[in-house]
Amino acid sequence: MREQDSIPVTKTERSAKFVKTGIQIGGNYIKHYSKKLFNPGLGRDELNENNATDIYKSLSELKGSALKIAQMLSMDKNILPKPYVDKFTQSQYNAPPLSGPLIVRTFTKNFGKPPEQIYDKFKLSSSNAASIGQVHEAELNGKKLAVKIQYPGVGDSISSDLKLVKPFAFRLLGMSEKELNIYIKEVEERLLEETDYVLEVKRSIEITEACKSIANIVFPKYYPALSGKRTITMDWIEGLHLREFLKTNPTQELKNKIGQALWDFYNFQQHELRAVHADPHPGNFMITPDEKLGVIDFGCIKELPDDFYIPFFSLISTNVINDKEETLAAFRQLDMIHAEDTAAQVEFYYKAYREMIELFAKPYTSNSFDFSQPEFFNQLYAYGEKIAKMPEFKQARGVKHFIYVNRTNFGLYNILQELKATVNTTKYKPHVA
């Protein structure tokens, strides 16, 4: 993959990149409608493919929060046309990396010394490049290490980038401005945390220590003395990313074992820690040679406060959903139904949200669940497509915590679907008494 020798850092440079991309997209629309004059039945497949290519190329060169949003959207196969999902999925595994000389300058600026003065060996070419930073292989005292280096300017450009992303998001997501602003604000808060590598190392150590008893999971050791605000040093974990792992044609027994470890990992965090690794894209996991799940990134952590956790998980894990008044009370607490709603609106949203909760909760309602069953995901996607077309859902509803909790759980479901895993759901249950 071609390396980048530079990256737009200033607000002016990054804004110019967005403007250029907007002009390209405008040109794509002109070409599309010109062709449609001669072929009225022409679909939008080519237009979507061209726009997805241009937008992803721009975001991958900008990196940072702009690319992170593409990564997040790629995990929701229901929200975007397929060409966007296919293109944005690249950011889950390997975005275009920065060149060796540029990354050395970045490391030196942030750490005070070049990498060769700290490590015995440091590989200039990146082993993995993502949205916020890229990883380089290193060695110290005979130990193989992974060194994550944040892209220059990423931490300082989050707010301005998100403002520039908004016009694209309006067109792609069809959200109301109020709803989009809630989404952008929550994303901004998490991204500001995600670019603070000192915080990430602290959280990584805390969560890996808390989760060390979960079966069939391994974590890297983190080295605070070799880390800083824009650099993290951790143990190197050998293994294959999910897509590579599945190409080896593993047995279903092994896929179930990995799926069980993933289910236990997420539900232990949600229900025992009330804080969860909220970035469940496949690029953050490795399947190791000894058939365990390696978790390699703790940048995005979402805490679950009681006023969200209790009403939400009571709907999923108790009989609350079978009592209309209790369900309505939970919906009101979660801001899914508003005080000013008419009786007709209350009834409409009650039925729509109850259908959503019952679908979401299916894995929790039996002792085991088979994620290979297509009907479950067909129902989820059909529901998403249905409400996406409803004007009633163009207004902002639901507390901000839904953004990352939904992302986390549906991301988990999607990985388990790729594994076609059957998992035991009894071990870590919600605590809502």
Side-chain angles (χ1 to χ4, degrees), residues 315-357:
L315 291 165
I316 289 167
S317 62
T318 71
N319 287 324
V320 164
I321 197 72
N322 296 320
D323 184 310
K324 184 173 182 179
E325 291 308 312
E326 285 193 48
T327 299
L328 285 171
F331 285 169
R332 289 189 175 99
Q333 190 173 349
L334 294 166
D335 200 35
M336 298 158 78
I337 290 177
H338 297 167
E340 65 273 16
D341 286 341
T342 65
Q345 285 176 312
V346 169
E347 188 64 19
F348 170 83
Y349 287 114
Y350 165 72
K351 289 179 179 178
Y353 284 129
R354 176 172 174 165
E355 181 183 356
M356 178 192 75
I357 293 289

Side-chain angles (χ1 to χ4, degrees), residues 86-150:
D86 292 344
K87 191 64 66 175
F88 290 0
T89 296
Q90 294 179 34
S91 66
Q92 296 180 6
Y93 291 93
N94 217 1
L98 299 189
S99 67
L102 178 55
I103 211 71
V104 167
R105 289 200 301 273
T106 302
F107 181 96
T108 304
K109 179 180 178 182
N110 290 321
F111 211 78
K113 296 179 182 178
E116 63 266 23
Q117 290 185 20
I118 295 172
Y119 309 100
D120 298 332
K121 294 179 183 177
F122 182 85
K123 194 173 180 179
L124 274 182
S125 58
S126 166
S127 62
N128 183 272
S131 51
I132 303 295
Q134 65 188 48
V135 176
H136 290 256
E137 186 181 327
E139 190 176 303
L140 182 62
N141 300 326
K143 182 177 280 290
K144 193 174 180 181
L145 302 171
V147 183
K148 184 161 75 168
I149 302 168
Q150 192 173 124

Side-chain angles (χ1 to χ4, degrees), residues 230-382:
R230 301 287 185 247
T231 308
I232 295 176
T233 301
M234 68 190 95
D235 285 342
W236 183 276
I237 289 188
E238 298 287 356
L240 300 175
H241 286 300
L242 180 69
R243 186 177 289 174
E244 301 165 327
F245 168 69
L246 292 174
K247 287 179 181 177
T248 67
N249 196 28
T251 66
Q252 190 57 54
E253 182 182 14
L254 176 54
K255 289 190 287 185
N256 287 347
K257 176 182 173 182
I258 297 301
Q260 188 67 56
L262 196 66
W263 176 269
D264 290 346
F265 173 62
Y266 271 96
N267 281 282
F268 176 84
Q269 291 175 90
Q270 288 189 115
H271 307 310
E272 305 299 327
L273 305 183
R274 298 281 185 90
V276 65
H277 175 282
D279 201 6
H281 72 76
N284 280 342
F285 304 101
M286 309 287 286
I287 290 80
T288 66
D290 59 349
E291 301 182 348
K292 293 186 177 180
L293 179 71
V295 185
I296 57 175
D297 188 297
F298 286 91
C300 184
I301 301 296
K302 174 63 184 173
E303 295 182 355
L304 309 181
D306 281 355
D307 59 0
F308 171 80
Y309 178 91
I310 292 172
F312 178 65
F313 282 103
S314 68
L315 291 165
I316 289 167
S317 62
T318 71
N319 287 324
V320 164
I321 197 72
N322 296 320
D323 184 310
K324 184 173 182 179
E325 291 308 312
E326 285 193 48
T327 299
L328 285 171
F331 285 169
R332 289 189 175 99
Q333 190 173 349
L334 294 166
D335 200 35
M336 298 158 78
I337 290 177
H338 297 167
E340 65 273 16
D341 286 341
T342 65
Q345 285 176 312
V346 169
E347 188 64 19
F348 170 83
Y349 287 114
Y350 165 72
K351 289 179 179 178
Y353 284 129
R354 176 172 174 165
E355 181 183 356
M356 178 192 75
I357 293 289
E358 287 179 330
L359 270 175
F360 175 83
K362 278 190 175 182
Y364 286 89
T365 57
S366 59
N367 291 339
S368 68
F369 193 79
D370 179 2
F371 282 91
S372 70
Q373 51 181 311
E375 59 270 23
F376 172 62
F377 289 93
N378 290 341
Q379 288 174 327
L380 280 177
Y381 297 148

